[in-house]
Amino acid sequence: MYQCLEFLLLGLIVVLSIITIEIKSLFRATLVFAVMCTSIAILFWLLGAYYVAVFQLLIYAGAMIVLLLAVVAFTAGEEREMK
């Protein structure tokens, strides 16, 4: 049961990482990146690495996503003015 769930999560992580790279909108790419980081944390949790899963959620899915969204929010106005 767990092995099927692990393979499903691995496939989801690969698909989400490709989508993150290919999306043109930086805001949507950041949101997909957050979902990917959360999926990685769930995979670590299933593998028994509980501390790594918590740090994955806190650092990547938490702090990094907030920083990326702040940068996107602050630079979005400048892109509109340049065009």
Side-chain angles (χ1 to χ4, degrees), residues 26-66:
L26 197 55
F27 181 74
R28 289 183 182 162
T30 305
L31 293 179
V32 174
F33 181 71
V35 174
M36 185 190 69
C37 289
T38 306
S39 301
I40 293 172
I42 293 169
L43 182 64
F44 280 136
W45 189 270
L46 288 176
L47 292 174
Y50 304 116
Y51 290 118
V52 178
V54 170
F55 287 128
Q56 175 77 24
L57 282 175
L58 288 176
I59 295 171
Y60 285 107
M64 290 300 294
I65 298 304
V66 169

Side-chain angles (χ1 to χ4, degrees), residues 3-43:
Q3 194 171 19
C4 292
L5 189 58
E6 289 172 10
F7 285 127
L8 181 69
L9 277 172
L10 284 173
L12 180 69
I13 290 167
V14 169
V15 168
L16 288 173
S17 63
I18 292 170
I19 290 173
T20 302
I21 294 169
E22 295 296 324
I23 285 183
K24 300 293 183 197
S25 170
L26 197 55
F27 181 74
R28 289 183 182 162
T30 305
L31 293 179
V32 174
F33 181 71
V35 174
M36 185 190 69
C37 289
T38 306
S39 301
I40 293 172
I42 293 169
L43 182 64

